[in-house]
Amino acid sequence: MAYKSLDPQTAVEYVKSLDFFPHDAMLEGGEVGDGNLNLVFKICDLHSGKSLIIKQALPYVRCVGESWPLDLNRAILEANAFELQNRLAPGLVPRLYHKDEELSLLVMEDLSHLGVMRPGTLDMRKYPKFSEHLSTFMANTLFYTSDLYMDPFEKKAMVKKFMNPELCKITEDLICSDPYYDCERNIINPPLRPYLEQVFWKKNALRLEASKYKYAFLTEAQSLLHGDLHTGSIFASEEETKVFDPEFAFYGPAAFDPGLLIGNLLINYISWDGKDEPLEKIHDYRDYLISTVNDVYTLFEQKFIANWNKDARDVTASVSGYQQFYMRKLFVDTLAFAAMVMIRRVHGLAHNIDVDGIEDEERRKDVQIRILEMAEELMMYRDTFSTIYAVTGFVKARIF
Amino acid sequence: MAYKSLDPQTAVEYVKSLDFFPHDAMLEGGEVGDGNLNLVFKICDLHSGKSLIIKQALPYVRCVGESWPLDLNRAILEANAFELQNRLAPGLVPRLYHKDEELSLLVMEDLSHLGVMRPGTLDMRKYPKFSEHLSTFMANTLFYTSDLYMDPFEKKAMVKKFMNPELCKITEDLICSDPYYDCERNIINPPLRPYLEQVFWKKNALRLEASKYKYAFLTEAQSLLHGDLHTGSIFASEEETKVFDPEFAFYGPAAFDPGLLIGNLLINYISWDGKDEPLEKIHDYRDYLISTVNDVYTLFEQKFIANWNKDARDVTASVSGYQQFYMRKLFVDTLAFAAMVMIRRVHGLAHNIDVDGIEDEERRKDVQIRILEMAEELMMYRDTFSTIYAVTGFVKARIF
């Protein structure tokens, strides 16, 4: 079947062929997507209560139209990433039921009983299993796709399979380049502009460090990344955690995933300066975020090292000192990418609701400057922190 | 036409179809290859004196037989590399006349009027154009295939096109891994073994640094490399220089090419300790080698920077300090790869005739130890050298 975009009715027809629902199912379908790049249908059987999700790539950017074309292959790349993540981190990603190259779609587990984690953190929700689950997800996906474990031929075939130039370009521009100069793609809170012009865009030392990490992003095929691992890509409850939307997956520097995750948690941490919650609640939630950052990174390191000690196959992996070198680089690079994602979310093209939800522009600006200043310090001092505890201690001493 | 290996007669028949020779040509063909992986035919027209070379990949390692299969696609990868090098460094590589995917062969310029440079250096020949030519070759191929210049989509397509896992594996093993432990693939001059066992293989700090560069070789898709740029891959006369055999081409750390080249020149430099030439001649040739290393690297840097200032397109390229960072990294990494190639040529699988030509095993061992010691110092002190002149000054102070 040649590509055509589905609608709720044709989506229902499509799933009937998949043998997922009982034959007497009473199916109902609706489009539930809110993104710019894809159609998302939820199909339910009103009898059994079973449901699933169809995610179909559109051949253009939805809000712009057919004048901005996009490669349809990304749906299959995403399906391939899901398959791999299901194998390496079972239970921590949606199950994949089906992929269809012709129609550029994937059919997967419906997780709408879980909430997306970002709005949860806006409500100060806590996720007691988050650190345990995310550390496993990262340690397994980042270790078992690296040269430490993989056969060199298979690894290079994977690098090829997961080449993802269109979505990499978005990161190269929006995270690594645009925020460091007055790029027209930036979206700037008007009261922030004077600070950017008079202070931030003159910080050449910071821009130079960010440029080194753009180089890493462009060249360093270390592990298969999720590529967009922030709290908006995670469904979570008190018991469950599911990482979704791996459409940015590609072989890049492993630190990018924990960096993005920690950077987003720190944005939320700082954002409370612009909100009117009682100070006691803010302190409590900030302590929760601090321990979450500590736990998720510490557990990630421990599990990565455990995987290494159990399963590393590259002869280099056993060279004395190499593991320390590797883990130290991973840590320092994580801080750098955390800093870069904090910066891009302040005045790049795509912001976080954590901060944009602060309605008063002046007050929002104050929070934004605090984020930029904290990010700068993390980037510039990254070599001086010995552990993640030193980082969070530094953050807490500045802002609490 | 399905793949079949040619013989001199079928090779002559093959070129008749190419419209290269006049119709009345009196063609004569012979197999002139001495390698393990390919057939090489030279076809001459006895009337006009015109000639060409056919290089055909074999589907197995020649000296082992069909039990060690090899991917035939490498011939097309090599042809693609030649095409690109011809465009970026015209006149410095053999011209490519034809490529044939079915037969896994390329047809190219016959350069047998030039000598291979390695035996020339054994005879203390000097090549007055070498530094000028090789610096251009490296500056152009390494700059114009990097993210500094290329469109990010085209660059990633190139990374894919030049994936070369079989030949990369050879480097990963033979250069980056085997020489640092008692690997059975190593070929060891018997009197050297006690030194390796009691001294060299205990140098863990050195092995750790080499492991970091194995990581770079495995992950860092910076530029399209020649991948095997030593004096045995260069035809040269006083006037001409032609780089050939790019079958190891792939996207890797740019410093690998100048590193290999300089490492091989330094092997030749040290090897004279094991030979009976008059000291005056040795001093003269060593001074020539020193100035060659100085010139080729200095000119390479100058031309790379000139390309950058003229043609860089990545927005990062103009960030203040980024060029210095990039060039410094290139320099330090060059010394590391130079050290690694010096080491692998002493007791890895493939040696250099520069040293293996020293017939007395004890005397050869003394030279080999000097090479290992010098390589270790280059690797361990690489961060302390400010320029290539500091490196060659250091070498000359140790050995002259």
Side-chain angles (χ1 to χ4, degrees), chain B residues 55-162:
Chain B
K55 181 171 178 179
Q56 183 178 36
L58 283 169
Y60 50 83
V61 177
R62 201 169 175 181
C63 61
V64 177
E66 302 190 10
S67 64
W68 186 340
L70 280 176
D71 185 357
L72 286 170
N73 286 326
R74 68 189 192 281
I76 297 311
L77 187 143
E78 183 171 353
N80 291 338
F82 266 132
E83 280 179 349
L84 192 76
Q85 291 165 350
N86 264 295
R87 192 157 56 72
L88 295 176
L92 300 177
V93 292
R95 271 173 295 168
L96 181 72
Y97 298 136
H98 182 68
K99 63 180 175 182
D100 186 324
E101 292 210 27
E102 297 281 329
L103 289 177
S104 299
L105 64 77
L106 39 158
V107 181
M108 60 185 166
E109 188 177 8
D110 175 23
L111 294 168
S112 49
H113 66 289
L114 301 173
V116 174
M117 196 176 153
R118 183 180 303 285
T121 59
L122 299 181
D123 293 338
M124 293 188 167
R125 278 194 64 173
K126 297 179 182 177
Y127 299 91
K129 298 287 176 63
F130 170 83
S131 297
E132 191 65 46
H133 288 161
L134 260 289
S135 58
T136 297
F137 176 82
M138 294 192 295
N140 288 3
T141 58
L142 298 176
F143 175 81
Y144 287 105
T145 59
S146 77
D147 284 298
L148 294 166
Y149 173 74
M150 288 198 82
D151 170 87
F153 293 94
E154 288 170 15
K155 189 257 188 169
K156 289 175 183 75
M158 288 269 285
V159 172
K160 198 177 210 171
K161 180 176 177 178
F162 284 100

Side-chain angles (χ1 to χ4, degrees), chain B residues 278-297:
Chain B
L279 209 56
E280 199 180 335
K281 280 185 68 182
I282 290 179
H283 284 172
D284 177 70
Y285 200 63
R286 281 180 166 165
D287 268 332
Y288 163 73
L289 291 170
I290 289 281
S291 57
T292 298
V293 170
N294 287 340
D295 291 349
V296 77
Y297 197 81

Side-chain angles (χ1 to χ4, degrees), chain B residues 201-266:
Chain B
W201 286 329
K202 293 182 175 170
K203 290 182 181 294
N204 190 74
L206 175 66
R207 190 179 186 188
L208 176 56
E209 297 312 300
S211 300
K212 296 177 185 175
Y213 284 91
K214 179 176 179 181
Y215 175 81
F217 190 85
L218 284 165
T219 61
E220 196 173 335
Q222 181 179 11
S223 297
L224 183 69
L225 309 185
H226 178 279
D228 195 25
L229 191 58
H230 57 77
T231 49
S233 301
I234 300 169
F235 285 118
S237 68
E238 297 222 332
E239 289 303 317
E240 287 183 284
T241 317
K242 307 277 184 181
V243 178
F244 65 102
D245 260 1
E247 60 191 333
F248 281 80
F250 84 111
Y251 260 81
F256 192 76
D257 277 355
L260 232 68
L261 191 64
I262 288 172
N264 274 276
L265 293 171
L266 293 179

Side-chain angles (χ1 to χ4, degrees), chain A residues 189-192 194 358-369:
Chain A
N189 176 21
L192 182 66
I358 301 167
E359 287 189 12
D360 182 278
E361 287 185 351
E362 282 294 327
R363 208 170 166 196
R364 193 193 313 157
K365 174 207 71 177
D366 291 340
V367 168
Q368 289 175 320
I369 290 176

Side-chain angles (χ1 to χ4, degrees), chain B residues 344-384:
Chain B
R344 69 81 60 115
R345 291 291 184 187
V346 166
H347 60 277
L349 179 63
H351 296 193
N352 277 8
I353 186 67
D354 311 52
V355 175
D356 276 18
I358 302 167
E359 286 189 11
D360 182 278
E361 288 185 350
E362 282 295 327
R363 208 170 165 194
R364 193 193 312 157
K365 175 207 71 178
D366 291 340
V367 168
Q368 289 175 320
I369 290 176
R370 294 201 129 193
I371 293 172
L372 293 177
E373 287 175 344
M374 178 64 73
E376 180 185 3
E377 290 182 316
L378 290 182
M379 175 64 99
M380 301 311 288
Y381 306 167
R382 66 191 187 282
D383 276 326
T384 70

Side-chain angles (χ1 to χ4, degrees), chain A residues 147 152-153 155-156 159-160 163-166 168-169 172 176-177 181 204 207-208 211-212 214-215 218-222 314-316 319-322 325-326 329, chain B residues 147 152-153 155-156 159-160 163-166 168-169 172 176-177 181 204 207-208 211-212 214-215 218-222 314-316 319-322 325-326 329:
Chain A
D147 284 297
F153 293 93
K155 188 258 188 169
K156 289 174 183 76
V159 172
K160 198 177 212 171
M163 287 259 172
N164 197 354
E166 276 189 337
C168 282
K169 183 70 164 61
E172 289 155 24
C176 301
S177 305
Y181 70 104
N204 190 74
R207 190 179 186 189
L208 176 56
S211 300
K212 296 177 185 176
K214 179 176 179 181
Y215 175 81
L218 284 165
T219 62
E220 195 174 337
Q222 181 179 11
D314 183 357
V315 63
T316 306
V319 171
S320 173
Y322 188 64
F325 157 75
Y326 198 99
K329 173 171 151 49
Chain B
D147 284 298
F153 293 94
K155 189 257 188 169
K156 289 175 183 75
V159 172
K160 198 177 210 171
M163 287 260 173
N164 198 355
E166 276 189 337
C168 282
K169 183 69 163 62
E172 289 155 25
C176 301
S177 304
Y181 70 104
N204 190 74
R207 190 179 186 188
L208 176 56
S211 300
K212 296 177 185 175
K214 179 176 179 181
Y215 175 81
L218 284 165
T219 61
E220 196 173 335
Q222 181 179 11
D314 182 358
V315 64
T316 306
V319 171
S320 174
Y322 188 64
F325 157 76
Y326 198 100
K329 173 170 151 47

